[in-house]
Amino acid sequence: MKTLLIARREYLAFVKTVGFWLSLLVLPVLMAGSVFIPILMSRSGGEEASRVAILDLSGENLTPSLQALLDRPDPAVAALHEAAPSVSARQALRQMASRRDYQAVPLPEGLTPDMTLAAAEARLSQLMQAEKRSVDQVIVAYVEKTPEPHFAFHLWSSQTKGKSLADNLSGGLHALQSAYLAKQKGVDPQVATALREARAEISSLTPAIAAA
């Protein structure tokens, strides 16, 4: 009991100090800064959006869906916008979210949706080595027939510059494949989407938590 009284007295004495209240104010700012500053630095380098063309050889009219993937805002920035501690931080994050890492541009000369994959990639190999070109990256979409029909995407790039298309679009590209497979199997694409996004409810419990 005496130990508890001493601890209580020490605690009450500490909370009356200036340092205690400063720590309450400064700690959230430091935590927010550790999250926001790296993002601000990565997105304020003044780099222009990477020019991306879409070559759809699939016959499935994927161009609008792929353009939508290029135009969507950075999901990490959007999530931080919701958790921003102040109006000014939210405004800054809103401006960052409005920036796009990619700009959809027309196909370069010599690339058409009715050409073969082999011809397209032979042309792209030359194009990506040219000093002057109108694109930085090209998404080639086609249907691979074996072992069963499925979407395949070749992501051509002139160099390892800027954000990787594979890293940023992989989720969306897998979603397109899921919808295509559902269509092939006669499953409603909306049902396929719901199944893909379904998550189990998982809770970690202890006897004390369960009894609360």
Side-chain angles (χ1 to χ4, degrees), residues 2 11 19 26-27 38 42 84 91 127 138 142 150-151 172 176 209:
K2 186 175 180 181
Y11 172 75
V26 173
L27 185 59
S42 67
Q91 290 175 340
L127 178 67
V138 177
Y142 66 99
H150 62 275
F151 285 151
L176 290 176
I209 295 174

Side-chain angles (χ1 to χ4, degrees), residues 94-107:
R94 189 180 301 114
Q95 291 179 351
M96 285 194 297
S98 67
R99 289 185 55 188
R100 294 294 182 266
D101 294 308
Y102 308 110
Q103 175 190 359
V105 298
L107 281 168

Side-chain angles (χ1 to χ4, degrees), residues 108 111 122-130 132-135 138:
L111 293 175
R123 170 65 179 141
L124 281 165
S125 183
Q126 297 174 347
L127 178 67
M128 290 302 170
Q129 297 180 63
K132 293 184 179 181
R133 54 186 172 272
S134 59
V135 297
V138 177

Side-chain angles (χ1 to χ4, degrees), residues 79-157:
L80 287 174
H81 174 266
E82 297 299 324
S86 67
V87 174
S88 59
R90 285 193 292 272
Q91 290 175 340
L93 287 168
R94 189 180 301 114
Q95 291 179 351
M96 285 194 297
S98 67
R99 289 185 55 188
R100 294 294 182 266
D101 294 308
Y102 308 110
Q103 175 190 359
V105 298
L107 281 168
E109 184 179 353
L111 293 175
T112 60
D114 58 352
M115 66 195 314
T116 66
L117 177 63
E121 303 216 312
R123 170 65 179 141
L124 281 165
S125 183
Q126 297 174 347
L127 178 67
M128 290 302 170
Q129 297 180 63
E131 291 187 8
K132 293 184 179 181
R133 54 186 172 272
S134 59
V135 297
D136 300 306
Q137 302 182 78
V138 177
I139 301 173
V140 180
Y142 66 99
V143 174
E144 178 63 59
K145 301 297 185 181
T146 56
E148 62 178 358
H150 62 275
F151 285 151
F153 302 94
H154 289 181
L155 309 179
W156 282 80
S157 177

Side-chain angles (χ1 to χ4, degrees), residues 32-96:
S34 66
V35 175
F36 296 141
I37 290 176
I39 294 178
L40 284 168
M41 292 177 65
S42 67
R43 297 184 70 88
S44 61
E47 289 188 0
E48 295 182 358
S50 180
R51 300 165 299 175
V52 183
I54 298 169
L55 178 58
D56 182 9
L57 306 177
S58 70
E60 297 290 333
N61 192 29
L62 290 179
T63 299
S65 298
L66 293 171
Q67 286 180 337
L69 291 178
L70 293 174
D71 290 339
R72 68 181 179 180
D74 189 330
V77 175
L80 287 174
H81 174 266
E82 297 299 324
S86 67
V87 174
S88 59
R90 285 193 292 272
Q91 290 175 340
L93 287 168
R94 189 180 301 114
Q95 291 179 351
M96 285 194 297

